[in-house]
């Protein structure tokens, strides 16, 4: 266990060295936050209570979304892109020599990255948003604990999806097409382009059942206390997808490892 | 000087043909990326349509009118990104020291940076914008005159040039602050997101800022207002959209000035 902790800590430190890049990224998130607030204010002015959100909910959604975007890795994340690159180039064979489990190794790397970005890129836009607009915050220790749990689970779900995409490289030679497709699905079904509560009819029900919903819409709804079935069922929904995705990931890892042995790296 | 400018299009063309050939080495992968790059932007517009399942007008714009705003915003950024988007990689090249290679070749560094890794799959966005524009024209009830048509085409070109200049300005800033590639995104991609919506909904301050500071309102908003016969905000004259080519020229001058002073500042990392 100690080794995975050490990996996560080093990954955290690695990302903390890119200070200017992080700052300019947080600035961009903040600018987008203001743009989206303008759009949502108009939308909710036109239709108050749209999707069960009031105006404060909608504005809080914007700033949480901009803050969670990078930590959760909605556009994909460096760590999993690197994994895909290693699969493509064959360097993955070196990783498989190590006396550690591939899945846990990369999970630790990704968690270290996510924690750093959560603190910096999550915190800065939220702070600015809270200074300008009247945002909603969880009240009480228990509420904060569930929010933190929801966000950590969201990172696990997102990691599961990205890990599977990266490992698809064992079967298809060029994963860039796959990465692009994953990006499209992730942006649309996570609530990144438009909150999923606004999606009408069957498309809304479908979107809210996908694993991508568990990466952004669900943790934000936990924060807002707006989950239709309560916070408990929201966390169970995330856990369910984590079990499915991580079991799938372990299975794919085992099969892929055999494939590498057969091909001799 | 004049000779250098005249040679530039040919040199740029040569560079991008080289990159297109290399991307065509894996045709299937290319097609997949083109399709998914189109799909990414299609879903952007689907979100607007989904919004209109709850509302009938957004800031005084109907869905067809929003479609025209969306299409022109997406088209101009798409064309600018296609032709000049690669310049944002300049910071990476400065850090790794590979920028030096640009300076010893007989082609202007800006052209090489703009063509660096030219990705033909980026035509996905303009293609998608063209389709949305087709729908907008079918649904819209506009009295089309030749003058209006020409004006729209000219303003799309001018808008692309304005976005292209912003890309170059962002790249020039990376000579000062190497790691700041994402900073320019707030103006380019942020600007496109802003330009997809009637700017007046963002309030007077924002309209002033995107008119007089970073002229994103001239990319498509003012020209589209003119085509649709809607009044301009802030009491500006309704023909203000006709000024967008002029704004584009000013932006190009600013961008080239910034790029040159950036180049003068450049010190190789020596690595």
């Amino acid at each position: 266990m100690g080794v995975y902790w050490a990996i996560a800590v080093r990954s955290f430190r690695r990302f903390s060295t890119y200070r200017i890049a992080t700052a300019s990224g947080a600035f961009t998130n903040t600018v987008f936050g203001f743009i989206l607030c303008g759009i949502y204010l108009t939308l909710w002015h036109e239709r108050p209570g749209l999707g069960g959100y009031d105006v404060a909910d909608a504005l809080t959604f914007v700033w949480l979304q901009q803050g969670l975007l990078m930590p959760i890795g909605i556009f994909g994340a460096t760590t999993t892109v690197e994994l895909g690159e290693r699969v493509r180039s064959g360097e993955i064979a070196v990783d498989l020599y190590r006396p550690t489990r591939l899945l846990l190794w990369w999970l630790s790397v990704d968690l270290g990255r996510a924690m750093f970005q959560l603190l910096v890129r999550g915190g800065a836009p939220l702070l600015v948003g809270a200074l300008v607009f009247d945002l909603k915050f969880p009240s009480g220790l228990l509420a904060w604990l569930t929010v933190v749990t929801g966000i950590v689970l969201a990172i696990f779900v997102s990691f599961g999806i990205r890990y599977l995409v990266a490992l698809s490289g064992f079967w298809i030679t060029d994963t860039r097409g796959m990465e692009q497709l994953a990006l499209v699905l992730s942006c649309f079904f996570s609530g990144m382009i438009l909150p999923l509560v606004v999606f009408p009819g069957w498309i809304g029900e479908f979107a809210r059942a996908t694993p991508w919903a568990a990466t952004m819409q669900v943790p934000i709804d936990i924060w807002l206390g707006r989950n239709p079935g309560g916070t408990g069922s929201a966390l169970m929904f995330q856990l369910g997808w984590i079990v499915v995705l991580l079991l799938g990931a372990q299975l794919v890892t085992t099969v892929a490892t055999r494939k590498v042995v057969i091909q001799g790296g | 000087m004049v000779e250098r400018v005249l040679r530039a299009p040919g040199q740029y063309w040569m560079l991008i043909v080289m990159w297109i050939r290399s991307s065509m080495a894996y045709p299937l992968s290319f097609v997949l990326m083109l399709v998914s790059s189109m799909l990414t932007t299609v879903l952007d517009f689907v979100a607007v349509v989904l919004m209109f399942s709850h509302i009938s007008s957004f800031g005084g714009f109907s869905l067809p009118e929003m479609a025209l705003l969306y299409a022109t915003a997406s088209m101009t950024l798409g064309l600018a990104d296609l032709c000049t988007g690669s310049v944002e990689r300049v910071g990476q090249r400065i850090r790794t020291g590979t920028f030096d290679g640009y300076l010893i070749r007989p082609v202007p560094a800006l052209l090489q940076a703009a063509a660096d890794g030219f990705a033909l799959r980026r035509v996905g966005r303009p293609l998608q914008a063209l389709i949305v524009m087709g729908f907008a024209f079918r649904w819209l009830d506009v009295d089309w005159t030749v003058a209006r048509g020409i004006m729209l085409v000219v303003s799309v070109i001018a808008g692309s040039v304005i976005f292209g200049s912003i890309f170059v300005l962002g790249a020039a800033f990376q000579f000062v602050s190497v790691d700041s590639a994402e900073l320019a995104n707030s103006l380019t991609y942020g600007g496109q997101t802003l330009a997809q919506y009637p700017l007046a909904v963002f309030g007077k301050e924002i309209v002033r800022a995107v008119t007089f500071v970073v002229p994103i309102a001239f990319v498509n908003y003012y020209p589209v207002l003119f085509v649709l016969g809607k009044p301009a905000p802030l009491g500006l004259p309704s023909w203000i959209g006709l000024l967008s080519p002029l704004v584009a020229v000013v932006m190009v001058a600013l961008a080239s000035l910034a790029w040159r002073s950036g180049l003068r500042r450049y010190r190789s990392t020596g690595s």
Side-chain angles (χ1 to χ4, degrees):
Chain A
M1 202 59 217
V3 66
Y4 298 112
W5 176 254
I7 294 166
V9 170
R10 274 167 188 73
S11 175
F12 183 99
R13 282 207 207 127
R14 172 191 155 194
F15 281 91
S16 67
T17 49
Y18 301 111
R19 291 207 187 91
I20 298 171
T22 309
S24 61
F27 177 79
T28 302
N29 289 144
T30 310
V31 170
F32 266 94
F34 281 112
I35 295 172
L36 288 171
C37 279
I39 297 165
Y40 286 11
L41 277 171
T42 312
L43 191 57
W44 262 269
H45 177 75
E46 202 86 27
R47 274 292 305 271
L50 178 62
Y53 280 11
D54 57 28
V55 173
D57 287 332
L59 297 182
T60 310
F61 186 98
V62 168
W63 293 100
L64 288 177
Q65 174 207 51
Q66 287 305 311
L68 291 176
L69 183 60
M70 285 306 283
I72 290 177
I74 298 296
F75 296 152
T78 27
T79 46
T80 43
V81 170
E82 278 161 22
L83 173 62
E85 192 66 48
R86 290 182 80 81
V87 173
R88 196 162 37 233
S89 66
E91 284 168 85
I92 192 79
V94 182
D95 297 353
L96 292 170
Y97 286 150
R98 297 202 179 102
T100 47
R101 307 188 76 143
L102 190 72
L103 181 63
L104 286 178
W105 172 287
W106 285 95
L107 180 61
S108 314
V109 173
D110 200 53
L111 286 180
R113 174 203 63 83
M115 283 311 137
F116 172 73
Q117 291 190 325
L118 197 59
L119 290 178
V120 181
R121 291 191 71 162
L126 190 62
L127 190 70
V128 175
L131 288 175
V132 179
F133 299 99
D134 198 10
L135 302 186
K136 280 196 178 167
F137 284 87
S139 56
L141 187 64
L142 186 68
W144 275 106
L145 273 176
T146 38
V147 162
V148 171
T149 314
I151 291 173
V152 172
L153 293 182
I155 294 166
F156 273 82
V157 174
S158 160
F159 170 78
I161 300 169
R162 288 181 276 114
Y163 183 85
L164 285 169
V165 171
L167 253 58
S168 72
F170 276 109
W171 288 272
I172 51 177
T173 32
D174 192 352
T175 48
R176 280 177 298 175
M178 191 64 131
E179 278 166 21
Q180 189 83 37
L181 185 67
L183 174 76
V184 173
L185 295 172
S186 170
C187 283
F188 194 66
F189 289 116
S190 64
M192 171 68 209
I193 300 185
L194 196 66
L196 298 184
V197 289
V198 175
F199 283 27
W202 64 269
I203 186 164
E205 275 167 40
F206 175 77
R208 289 187 286 270
T210 60
W212 294 283
T215 61
M216 185 170 285
Q217 181 70 44
V218 170
I220 293 179
D221 275 344
I222 294 176
W223 178 296
L224 297 173
R226 290 278 178 195
N227 301 89
T231 307
S233 82
L235 293 176
M236 288 313 289
F237 174 70
Q238 286 182 304
L239 266 176
W241 273 117
I242 290 173
V243 170
V244 171
L245 288 167
L246 290 191
L247 279 179
Q250 187 50 50
L251 186 74
V252 168
T253 311
T254 316
V255 178
T257 311
R258 282 205 204 110
K259 198 173 150 68
V260 171
V261 174
I262 293 164
Q263 291 188 342
Chain B
M1 180 65 206
V2 174
E3 197 194 345
R4 274 188 69 178
V5 170
L6 286 179
R7 261 207 322 250
Q11 291 170 329
Y12 181 73
W13 180 246
M14 197 179 71
L15 286 166
I16 66 169
V17 166
M18 180 188 83
W19 284 108
I20 292 172
R21 279 212 189 128
S22 88
S23 70
M24 287 303 181
Y26 300 100
L28 182 69
S29 178
F30 173 78
V31 171
L32 252 177
M33 278 195 283
L34 182 67
V35 169
S36 42
S37 133
M38 256 180 97
L39 205 63
T40 320
T41 42
V42 164
L43 290 181
D44 247 5
F45 185 65
V46 169
V48 175
V49 176
L50 286 181
M51 267 166 58
F52 271 85
S53 70
H54 301 284
I55 51 177
S56 54
S57 91
F58 187 98
F61 275 59
S62 66
L63 181 57
E65 289 168 338
M66 282 283 284
L68 184 60
L69 261 188
Y70 172 87
T72 45
S74 187
M75 174 73 83
T76 45
L77 183 87
L79 289 176
D81 187 32
L82 180 72
C83 300
T84 57
S86 299
V87 289
E88 69 177 16
R89 286 157 63 165
V90 82
Q92 208 181 323
R93 289 198 165 265
I94 292 171
R95 196 176 49 223
T96 56
T98 46
F99 189 79
D100 293 9
Y102 286 169
L103 301 175
I104 54 170
R105 290 184 203 136
V107 176
L110 179 59
L111 281 189
Q112 296 180 57
D116 183 20
F118 180 87
L120 189 61
R121 69 189 137 80
R122 292 203 200 120
V123 296
R125 193 194 291 265
L127 272 180
Q128 177 261 357
L130 205 63
I131 296 169
V132 175
M133 212 178 268
F135 277 116
F137 289 147
R138 274 185 64 110
W139 296 334
L140 272 176
D141 190 23
V142 171
D143 178 22
W144 284 105
T145 57
V146 177
R148 277 193 171 145
I150 291 174
M151 183 208 158
L152 198 65
V153 172
V154 169
S155 74
V156 165
I157 296 169
S160 311
V161 172
I162 294 174
F163 269 136
S165 307
I166 297 176
F167 271 113
V168 174
L169 280 166
F173 185 69
Q174 292 189 48
F175 285 106
V176 183
S177 173
V178 172
D179 241 355
S180 60
E182 259 198 280
L183 212 56
N185 288 356
S186 58
L187 290 178
T188 51
Y189 294 98
Q192 186 221 351
T193 310
L194 207 62
Q196 287 174 14
Y197 296 91
L199 291 175
V201 308
F202 297 105
K204 282 199 175 114
E205 302 309 317
I206 299 291
V207 176
R208 270 194 206 109
V210 294
T211 304
F212 301 111
V213 186
V214 188
I216 285 165
F218 288 93
V219 166
N220 68 336
Y221 182 56
Y222 291 141
V224 165
L225 284 183
F226 185 78
V227 167
L228 296 176
K230 287 179 185 281
L234 304 178
L236 292 164
S238 61
W239 48 261
I240 189 164
L242 299 174
L243 294 180
S244 67
L246 197 71
V247 174
V249 170
V250 173
M251 287 301 284
V252 168
L254 281 175
S256 73
L257 214 72
W259 177 263
R260 274 182 211 180
S261 61
L263 260 191
R264 264 200 302 277
R265 267 187 71 108
Y266 175 66
R267 297 273 178 279
S268 174
T269 55
S271 54

